[in-house]
């Protein structure tokens, strides 16, 4: 079992197409040819075409931040898996806590998107994580367990090579508060245990589980050194090529 690190940048609702082009040019020149750590950038929809044209010649992968579960139809404002595929998108963040919190996404609706994504051969970056209240009430493992089980209902074992899970404690996102290495590892270990209950131990041992929530160059190496942390989903620090590539460097040296 060897799991290659994945460092994914979630640009959220930031950057115009021109600004996105400039950022991806810098990322390409700093890290665009290495393949030891997988790198993915997830710009907003409006920047996907330009970033797609820029990553075509590099090893950087392209991700979207959301999609609709239906293939087409009267869903104003939404985008389908096939539309993403047409722009050479390979990854899609699904169930991010901001989508759960502000856009009413539930474990069931996220499950429909996860299944639609794999049916289109997209890699779901399936996000889970507890709120501060849930952690303080001692409910972290229950919440995360239900998110994994309900979000992955009917997930076929044959498509497990596509699955990426991202554990993002909600209280650590954009707050500057990071889970300690031990806190993060404890949840990652539990998530892998739940994955092994669903899919079997051997399959679970090859699924990547990313950590997200204020990951930055200063704390990346410690987090990435944990046995069940297989990369990062980076928000704020992915908007600067320097800090994003420093995290990739930390992954490269941790892996070496
Ligand atoms: P952050 O965001 O790195 O800014 O905390 C992570 C995320 O929301 O994916």
């Amino acid at each position: 079992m060897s799991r290659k690190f994945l460092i994914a940048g979630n640009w959220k609702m930031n950057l115009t197409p021109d600004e996105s082009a400039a950022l991806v040019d810098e990322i390409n020149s700093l890290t665009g040819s290495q393949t030891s750590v997988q790198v993915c950038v997830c710009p907003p929809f409006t920047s996907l075409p330009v970033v797609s044209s820029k990553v075509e010649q590099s090893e950087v992968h392209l991700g979207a931040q959301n999609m609709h579960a239906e293939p087409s139809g009267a869903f104003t404002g939404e985008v389908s898996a096939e539309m993403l595929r047409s722009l050479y998108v390979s990854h899609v963040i699904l169930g991010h806590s901001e989508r759960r919190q502000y856009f009413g996404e539930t474990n069931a609706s996220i499950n429909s998107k996860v299944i639609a994504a794999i049916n289109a051969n997209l890699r779901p970056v399936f996000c889970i994580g507890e709120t501060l209240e849930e952690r303080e009430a001692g409910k972290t493992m229950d919440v995360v367990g239900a998110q994994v089980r309900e979000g992955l209902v009917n997930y076929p074992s044959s498509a497990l090579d596509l699955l990426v899970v991202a554990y993002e404690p909600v209280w650590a996102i954009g707050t500057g508060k990071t889970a300690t290495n031990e806190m993060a590892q404890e949840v990652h270990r539990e998530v892998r245990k739940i994955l092994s209950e669903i899919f079997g131990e051997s399959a679970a041992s090859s699924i990547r589980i990313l950590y997200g929530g204020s990951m930055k160059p200063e704390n990346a190496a410690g987090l990435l050194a944990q046995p069940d942390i297989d990369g990062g989903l980076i928000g704020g620090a992915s908007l600067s090529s320097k800090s994003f590539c420093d995290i990739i460097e930390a992954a490269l040296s941790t892996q070496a």
Side-chain angles (χ1 to χ4, degrees):
M1 163 239 46
S2 78
R3 301 185 296 263
K4 188 186 272 200
F5 279 133
L6 169 62
I7 302 294
N10 174 8
W11 296 1
K12 306 195 180 184
M13 195 174 74
N14 293 293
L15 308 183
T16 63
D18 284 351
E19 290 164 345
S20 301
L23 178 56
V24 76
D25 276 344
E26 289 167 18
I27 294 169
N28 271 342
S29 71
L30 288 167
T31 194
S33 58
Q34 66 77 28
T35 55
S36 307
V37 166
Q38 213 171 65
V39 176
C40 178
V41 292
C42 306
F45 290 136
T46 43
S47 290
L48 285 173
V50 68
V51 176
S52 179
S53 69
K54 300 258 178 199
V55 296
E56 205 183 347
Q57 305 300 329
S58 82
E59 298 294 338
V60 175
H61 296 258
L62 182 61
Q65 299 173 17
N66 181 33
M67 56 167 250
H68 197 276
E70 293 299 323
S72 63
F75 300 102
T76 301
E78 293 291 322
V79 163
S80 73
E82 193 192 332
M83 293 169 188
L84 298 178
R85 291 289 314 180
S86 73
L87 292 170
Y88 304 101
V89 168
S90 54
H91 293 64
V92 58
I93 299 171
L94 293 175
H96 190 278
S97 65
E98 288 150 17
R99 304 272 340 153
R100 294 177 188 258
Q101 187 181 348
Y102 304 128
F103 301 96
E105 294 197 7
T106 61
N107 291 339
S109 68
I110 295 159
N111 175 244
S112 312
K113 294 182 180 202
V114 167
I115 300 298
I118 57 166
N119 285 338
N121 213 24
L122 284 169
R123 295 177 178 277
V125 179
F126 164 57
C127 300
I128 54 173
E130 82 287 1
T131 62
L132 187 59
E133 285 96 317
E134 289 162 344
R135 175 161 283 268
E136 286 175 346
K139 292 190 186 146
T140 299
M141 300 307 183
D142 290 346
V143 168
V144 164
Q147 288 172 334
V148 172
R149 290 180 195 283
E150 293 171 27
L152 297 179
V153 168
N154 293 329
Y155 193 104
S157 295
S158 56
L160 281 177
D161 56 325
L162 294 176
L163 180 63
V164 177
V165 177
Y167 168 60
E168 300 202 302
V170 177
W171 48 270
I173 296 178
T175 58
K177 292 192 190 118
T178 325
T180 62
N181 300 338
E182 295 70 27
M183 275 158 92
Q185 166 57 22
E186 191 188 13
V187 181
H188 280 237
R189 188 196 305 113
E190 177 69 16
V191 170
R192 197 174 305 285
K193 189 168 143 249
I194 297 164
L195 291 170
S196 70
E197 284 162 16
I198 307 173
F199 298 112
E201 203 171 319
S202 145
S205 73
S206 49
I207 299 172
R208 284 179 295 188
I209 308 175
L210 314 185
Y211 172 80
S214 299
M215 198 191 251
K216 42 190 181 258
E218 300 77 59
N219 59 26
L223 288 159
L224 293 170
Q226 302 306 308
D228 289 296
I229 300 186
D230 308 312
L233 182 54
I234 326 293
S238 72
L239 294 172
S240 138
S241 58
K242 165 96 176 78
S243 53
F244 187 57
C245 292
D246 283 351
I247 295 172
I248 296 165
E249 281 301 320
L252 282 165
S253 36
T254 308
Q255 191 158 259

